[in-house]
Amino acid sequence: MTVDLLYFAWVRERIGLPRERVDTDAATVGELITELAAREERYALAFSDLSALRVAVDQELSSLDAPLTGVREIAVFPPMTGG
Amino acid sequence: MDIRVQPATFDPGAEANAFTAASRGSGAVVTFTGIVRDTEAGTLRHLEIEHYPGMTASSIKAIAGEAVARWSLDAVLVIHRHGALAPGEAIMMVATAARHRAGAFAAADFLMDYLKSRAPFWKKEVRTDGADWVDAKAEDEAALSRW
């Protein structure tokens, strides 16, 4: 399946891209992140500490165990600092 | 419900007056304005605020909707800026209107706690001696358990 990945803040800076489209057979968001981390050093660097990452699935806050079936957009970012 | 996500400056006083003028049936209006704070050493050039355009407004609407339902608010306003903001500039503003002050205060407090940790914004401090992303604080996350 194909999903759009969006990166924000230092995740975006470490990967060097704001967004990309990827093909994956991963079953969950966490599996996709592990797959990317194995792909290249910059992903490994961005995803080295999973506890420091937050994810949104189709623009709703979600978790790493969220299934990828039918998902179109995944965002990966550090804990939010609004306000 | 008035939710605005914008790079442009706004006038907190004018917004508070307009909000109050539109809230005639309410007995209480609470407003909060967040300001860009300089570092203690006075080295902050600006704060760079990044957000997730597809998600920001909808997540703020969901948070504000919860506040309206929970405290029976008559009206709610949230303005949150993004982009480069200099020390002293207003970053964001929350206003709540309710029949009585307890609900207006509690709802504003709730909105601030949730906007800090659940609205997709990220702050980067750009200083004269470098630049760093602002880390989320454990106490901000812990504050959510109050609600």
Side-chain angles (χ1 to χ4, degrees):
Chain A
M1 63 177 289
T2 305
V3 288
D4 286 321
L5 272 161
L6 279 69
Y7 309 119
F8 293 98
W10 54 254
V11 175
R12 171 180 56 73
E13 288 182 342
R14 286 180 193 178
I15 293 171
L17 284 174
R19 66 185 300 152
E20 63 183 320
R21 184 162 284 182
V22 298
D23 279 311
T24 181
D25 296 320
T28 64
V29 175
E31 275 183 34
L32 172 59
I33 284 177
T34 306
E35 195 177 281
L36 289 166
R39 193 161 88 176
E40 273 181 62
E41 183 60 30
R42 57 198 172 112
Y43 293 95
L45 184 68
F47 301 149
S48 60
D49 178 7
L50 294 183
S51 71
L53 298 177
R54 300 291 178 270
V55 295
V57 172
D58 287 335
Q59 307 183 346
E60 296 267 356
L61 289 176
S62 189
S63 59
L64 293 175
D65 56 11
L68 282 191
T69 317
V71 168
R72 293 163 59 181
E73 181 174 298
I74 293 167
V76 188
F77 42 77
M80 294 154 276
T81 52
Chain B
M1 199 185 296
D2 186 356
I3 311 291
R4 291 179 241 162
V5 179
Q6 61 186 50
T9 55
F10 63 92
D11 178 343
E15 294 293 347
N17 286 340
F19 185 81
T20 304
S23 305
R24 288 191 170 221
S26 308
V29 166
V30 165
T31 67
F32 170 86
T33 306
I35 312 289
V36 179
R37 180 180 55 231
D38 203 344
T39 59
E40 280 183 32
T43 54
L44 187 70
R45 282 207 174 109
H46 65 266
L47 211 53
E48 184 69 41
I49 300 180
E50 181 171 335
H51 78 122
Y52 180 176
M55 184 180 159
T56 314
S58 62
S59 68
I60 296 175
K61 268 182 201 139
I63 294 164
E66 198 180 327
V68 168
R70 203 155 151 191
W71 287 281
S72 304
L73 299 181
D74 300 321
V76 61
L77 164 72
V78 178
I79 303 173
H80 203 304
R81 294 178 61 199
H82 56 90
L85 280 69
E89 284 190 55
I91 303 180
M92 56 89 59
M93 176 175 180
V94 157
T96 56
R99 295 288 296 168
H100 303 286
R101 74 171 189 272
F105 270 119
D109 206 10
F110 165 89
L111 282 165
M112 286 312 306
D113 278 348
Y114 270 82
L115 291 169
K116 277 252 167 226
S117 310
R118 292 292 182 272
F121 291 97
W122 299 273
K123 293 191 185 104
K124 188 182 205 177
E125 273 186 6
V126 180
R127 303 179 311 271
T128 52
D129 62 345
D132 290 294
W133 290 97
V134 175
D135 283 328
K137 294 190 185 75
E139 63 255 40
D140 288 339
E141 187 65 31
L144 299 184
S145 65
R146 294 199 291 146
W147 309 105

